[in-house]
Amino acid sequence: MKVVFALAALCLVGLVAGESALLLAGKSVQNNVLAENQDMIVKYIIFNKGTSAATDVTLEDSNFLPAEYFQITGATKATWASIPAGGNVTHAIVVKPLFTNYFNFSSALVTYTNEDGQQETLTSAPGVMGIISEANFYREFHHQYFEWAFFLLLLFVPIGFPYFQYAASAAGHSKSQ
């Protein structure tokens, strides 16, 4: 009888505990290639898995120091009044890496209030990613239109010049006949 009463009490506690907000948060870098002085998009998604609203939600990411990254748009600290049960919010920032190096993209901190009081959770961490130099980025991923135009111009000399010589000579011989 005590076992049945203990199981019933645990089920009741589980139901009551399931009534509060529970936030799950993710952080991801949207770029396939990270390069120095190129825009890098970081996306945050916060989902409320609980059955009640989370209030006073704050996202704060301290990874992007001004000495290492130039902030283009977005803010590394964002707030929402509430996130309803089953709802989600998305936030994005765009930064430019100022240096070439491997960088550990760690978690951002999410704080919120539910029925149990102030809560904290961390986003997922994308991990260590390499930032390549701007020169390597342009060498591998730039279309190089100028180089191709210059190549075609140089190709004109060995092919175009003999053709025009032949055409002028053939025109001169056809007039004399």
Side-chain angles (χ1 to χ4, degrees), residues 133-151:
S133 69
E134 189 174 19
N136 285 346
F137 176 76
Y138 282 119
R139 185 179 312 121
E140 292 185 34
F141 300 103
H142 203 261
H143 295 293
Q144 303 170 340
Y145 293 123
F146 178 75
E147 287 83 358
W148 278 104
F150 188 69
F151 172 73

Side-chain angles (χ1 to χ4, degrees), residues 17-171:
E19 294 294 322
S20 66
L22 176 64
L23 296 185
L24 303 175
K27 173 182 175 180
S28 61
V29 177
Q30 300 295 302
N31 302 54
N32 291 331
V33 177
L34 302 180
E36 174 185 22
N37 292 322
Q38 299 297 314
D39 290 353
M40 179 176 71
I41 303 167
V42 181
K43 182 178 176 183
Y44 306 91
I45 299 174
I46 303 172
F47 179 73
N48 186 354
K49 183 182 173 231
T51 56
S52 67
T55 57
D56 301 323
V57 180
T58 302
L59 167 75
E60 189 168 359
D61 194 348
S62 59
N63 279 286
F64 304 106
L65 302 175
E68 297 173 349
Y69 292 90
F70 178 72
Q71 192 164 345
I72 307 284
T73 59
T76 56
K77 185 173 183 179
T79 58
W80 295 271
S82 75
I83 300 174
N88 64 358
V89 292
T90 304
H91 180 68
I93 63 171
V94 179
V95 294
K96 274 189 185 182
L98 300 176
F99 299 105
T100 300
N101 202 353
Y102 284 97
F103 188 77
N104 184 11
F105 293 97
S106 60
S107 301
L109 177 66
V110 177
T111 57
Y112 63 98
T113 304
N114 63 9
E115 288 79 15
D116 299 332
Q118 184 80 16
Q119 303 292 322
E120 290 184 354
T121 187
L122 296 173
T123 65
S124 59
V128 177
M129 298 177 140
I131 300 171
I132 63 173
S133 69
E134 189 174 19
N136 285 346
F137 176 76
Y138 282 119
R139 185 179 312 121
E140 292 185 34
F141 300 103
H142 203 261
H143 295 293
Q144 303 170 340
Y145 293 123
F146 178 75
E147 287 83 358
W148 278 104
F150 188 69
F151 172 73
L152 292 174
L153 183 67
L154 288 177
L155 197 61
F156 174 76
V157 173
I159 294 175
F161 187 71
Y163 171 75
F164 285 120
Q165 288 289 335
Y166 170 77
S169 174

